[in-house]
Amino acid sequence: MAPTALAAAVLLGGALATADVPSVDIGDGVQMPMLAFGTYRGSLRTCTVTEATKQWLDLGGRHVDTAFDYYTQPDVGAALKASSVPRQQLFITTKVPGPIGAQAVKDMIVNVSLPQLGLDYLDLVLIHFPCLEKKLFPNKCREKEAEERLDTWHGLVELKKAGKIRAIGVSNFDADQLATLAEASGVTPAVNQVEWHLGYHNETLLAAMKSRGVVLEAWGSLTGPTAANPGVALDDPRLKEIAQRYSAATPQVALRWSALKGVVPITATCSAAHVQSDIDAFAIQISADDLAALDSLAPPVIDSAGMFFA
């Protein structure tokens, strides 16, 4: 990408939050809006990914999450091209498959992801999962893959230095996997994206990430088709009772709960009304007592590795 494009993004503080959605600093001055739009095709069943992403941008959303393995980068690219939102106001995340090695990850970003998205640089790139074989995940990733994870990470570090990526991170990593990567490379991931929702929240992992200055991001925020673990139903009477106290919808409370715990939620919808409702969730101020009640709707996960890739 041209240095001037990245310089403009840095000068303006990177992606800007909408009027209602705050940003979180993920290091090096990069500001990540605290609500992302997911583009996994299975979550968008009554519209196209391009239509949904364009609508998200039109209604004020600025953070878009895609992945090589979603096969939606071209769809997102079409939405970005059709949008009038300036590049420096956008925050675009993609993910590369698990440990594929430094050269492969550099080739993928430069020759596939950036062209498909129609971009000169990416705001955040994540290693999608710690091992390539799902049957080994989460707790049986081979030692060989530890070496490949590190090599892949070195590739992302090089791309960041070259100005192709503003921030780098991981997805579905447990605390030990992330610590090994950070200590071996000297570069700590900015973000770890994992399953996190009212029915499945790994408090031990959250504490471990906070201790390292890593921002946790949530996939499956409203459970939905991507969640691997049982969630709390949005019509659960306990959740509805709390929502009623704030004249809010239950999805708004679920998203706001996540954000108030410092975990960046990801939403996905074909409905314009739901997009607006999700953004408006950030106006809700939930009391400490109600946050504790939301925490207790399902038993918290207390180990560092209890997660599953989807």
Side-chain angles (χ1 to χ4, degrees):
M1 62 162 288
T4 52
L6 182 57
V10 174
L11 179 64
L12 294 174
L16 303 178
T18 69
D20 299 306
V21 178
S23 291
V24 59
D25 191 325
I26 59 172
D28 296 326
V30 177
Q31 299 293 315
M32 182 170 77
M34 289 195 72
L35 180 64
F37 188 79
T39 60
Y40 175 65
R41 209 178 302 273
S43 298
L44 302 167
R45 296 177 176 176
T46 61
C47 61
T48 69
V49 171
T50 298
E51 290 169 344
T53 305
K54 174 66 163 49
Q55 177 175 259
W56 170 252
L57 298 173
D58 289 346
L59 293 175
R62 293 296 179 260
H63 184 174
V64 179
D65 180 275
T66 185
F68 178 85
D69 281 346
Y70 294 170
Y71 303 104
T72 59
Q73 290 179 151
D75 307 81
V76 172
L80 298 179
K81 184 177 180 179
S83 172
S84 61
V85 178
R87 172 65 183 97
Q88 65 268 23
Q89 292 186 19
L90 299 171
F91 191 97
I92 310 300
T93 299
T94 195
K95 309 176 200 74
V96 297
I100 58 175
Q103 190 57 52
V105 79
K106 288 187 286 186
D107 290 343
M108 182 174 288
I109 293 299
V110 172
N111 299 322
V112 181
S113 295
L114 287 173
Q116 287 184 345
L117 290 162
L119 300 176
D120 295 321
Y121 68 92
L122 285 152
D123 297 286
L124 176 64
V125 175
L126 310 176
I127 299 176
H128 205 157
F129 46 97
C131 52
L132 287 172
E133 295 186 54
K134 291 182 183 179
K135 66 182 181 181
L136 299 176
F137 187 81
N139 299 318
K140 296 180 181 179
C141 290
R142 298 169 305 193
E143 286 303 315
K144 176 186 175 184
E145 300 217 54
E147 297 175 8
E148 292 168 340
R149 281 195 291 275
L150 181 59
D151 191 44
T152 304
W153 186 245
H154 284 153
L156 291 180
V157 170
E158 290 181 39
L159 286 166
K160 184 174 183 287
K161 289 179 179 177
K164 297 294 184 183
I165 307 171
R166 299 182 64 224
I168 55 178
V170 298
S171 179
N172 300 300
F173 275 50
D174 66 33
D176 291 340
Q177 289 164 341
L178 186 142
T180 298
L181 199 68
E183 290 161 10
S185 67
V187 179
T188 299
V191 172
N192 187 10
Q193 186 183 119
V194 301
E195 182 176 8
W196 177 283
H197 47 77
L198 284 170
Y200 187 84
H201 43 102
N202 190 328
E203 301 291 343
T204 305
L205 181 66
L206 176 60
M209 295 301 98
K210 286 184 174 181
S211 72
R212 287 186 172 271
V214 178
V215 173
L216 209 61
E217 187 175 19
W219 59 261
S221 301
L222 298 176
T223 312
T226 63
N229 291 279
V232 172
L234 293 175
D235 62 355
D236 185 295
R238 300 167 299 169
L239 179 57
K240 289 174 69 174
E241 181 181 351
I242 293 172
Q244 287 168 0
R245 282 201 279 276
Y246 300 95
S247 300
T250 54
Q252 290 181 309
V253 170
L255 294 173
R256 188 62 173 137
W257 162 82
S258 179
L260 286 171
K261 289 177 74 71
V263 180
V264 176
I266 301 174
T267 187
T269 180
C270 291
S271 163
H274 288 170
V275 168
Q276 192 60 61
S277 178
D278 292 348
I279 292 173
D280 290 345
F282 285 80
I284 302 169
Q285 297 302 321
I286 301 175
S287 72
D289 286 346
D290 282 335
L291 284 175
L294 291 166
D295 282 346
S296 68
L297 291 181
V301 179
I302 58 173
D303 68 302
S304 65
M307 58 189 78
F308 188 80
F309 166 72

